[in-house]
Amino acid sequence: MQPMSLLITTCVLFVGTHLLMSHPLRAGLASRLGERGFQIVYSIVAIATFILVVQAWRGMPPEPPLWPVGDGLWALASLIVLFASILFVGSLVGNPALAAPGAEKAAQAAPRGVFAITRHPMMWGFALWALAHVMVMPTPGQIVLSATIAFLALAGSAGQDVKKARLMGDAWRGWAARTSFVPFARQVGGAAPWADAMPRAHALLGGIILWLAASWAHGALGYMVAGVWRWVG
């Protein structure tokens, strides 16, 4: 199989198993395996298919970039990754979308910080991370990989809206009515003040630390030097 065909095949397998096990197959598998057993199987399948994707991506031959990448594009991509990092860290606290105790109580709170930006900050963080990588590594292989990650994040978020409405009922529907799927949609539409969307301290500090650490590791692991480290040191 050609390297690009293999990459596309593994990406389809990765996305397909995620979506099938998260939605149409979830109830049946969970009833047979139990919730804990289902989570173990789900994790094994997710990790295994992701490893296949990474191996296929690493097996791609060198490809010329589809457009020139200069400092301006690197700076913009780095800022996007910083914003994505803040969304991700902020999503770890008080997120009704997470499968954690207290989700319904969290859904009763007024949306603030990253949740005033979007009710799916974690998934938008992944999608924006994927976008930034295409911006600075515009090769066919990277585009396929990033598109896969972005699609899974956003399609998964849309499916999560449906699933959470079924599981949490009015609690989720009320949360959805007070938040937006698309980042900053409520602020742009005048339904919410911009001040509500200011990320809280833990999201800002944690996001900056994650951004600095991840971009430093990018170069330390032998990949392209990323983030602020391109201009420091």
Side-chain angles (χ1 to χ4, degrees):
M1 185 178 290
Q2 294 297 316
M4 178 58 80
S5 298
L6 179 60
L7 178 60
I8 292 172
T9 299
T10 56
C11 285
V12 170
L13 182 64
F14 177 61
V15 171
T17 53
H18 265 71
L19 296 182
L20 286 172
M21 294 184 70
S22 295
H23 301 289
L25 300 182
R26 191 187 195 286
L29 290 172
S31 66
R32 290 178 175 85
L33 304 172
E35 191 61 35
R36 182 172 178 79
F38 169 77
Q39 291 297 336
I40 292 173
V41 171
Y42 181 92
S43 299
I44 291 173
V45 172
I47 293 171
T49 53
F50 183 71
I51 289 174
L52 291 176
V53 170
V54 171
Q55 292 301 318
W57 179 73
R58 287 180 173 173
M60 290 292 294
E63 300 172 300
L66 300 178
W67 56 79
V69 179
D71 281 349
L73 203 54
W74 265 105
L76 178 58
S78 297
L79 290 175
I80 290 174
V81 173
L82 172 59
F83 179 55
S85 301
I86 292 170
L87 289 178
F88 177 81
V89 173
S91 75
L92 300 177
V93 179
N95 188 352
L98 295 180
E104 291 193 17
K105 183 178 179 180
Q108 304 300 323
R112 294 287 187 273
V114 297
F115 302 110
I117 297 172
T118 170
R119 64 177 166 274
H120 293 293
M122 180 181 290
M123 297 305 185
W124 274 100
F126 289 136
L128 290 172
W129 173 91
L131 170 64
H133 278 70
V134 168
M135 291 170 62
V136 298
M137 192 177 177
T139 61
Q142 183 63 51
I143 290 171
V144 169
L145 176 62
S146 292
T148 298
I149 293 171
F151 175 80
L152 182 58
L154 300 183
S157 297
Q160 192 174 50
D161 277 344
V162 176
K163 181 174 69 176
K164 284 289 184 175
R166 183 180 68 252
L167 295 175
M168 294 173 57
D170 290 341
W172 182 264
R173 284 188 284 269
W175 176 253
R178 301 193 310 277
T179 57
S180 63
F181 185 94
V182 177
F184 298 111
R186 287 178 62 81
Q187 286 75 27
V188 172
W194 285 93
D196 287 354
M198 175 61 68
R200 294 183 174 180
H202 73 276
L204 278 173
L205 181 59
I208 291 171
I209 292 173
L210 175 62
W211 175 65
L212 289 173
S215 56
W216 174 84
H218 212 277
L221 293 174
Y223 298 102
M224 290 186 295
V225 179
V228 69
W229 308 108
R230 291 187 66 84
W231 300 281
V232 175

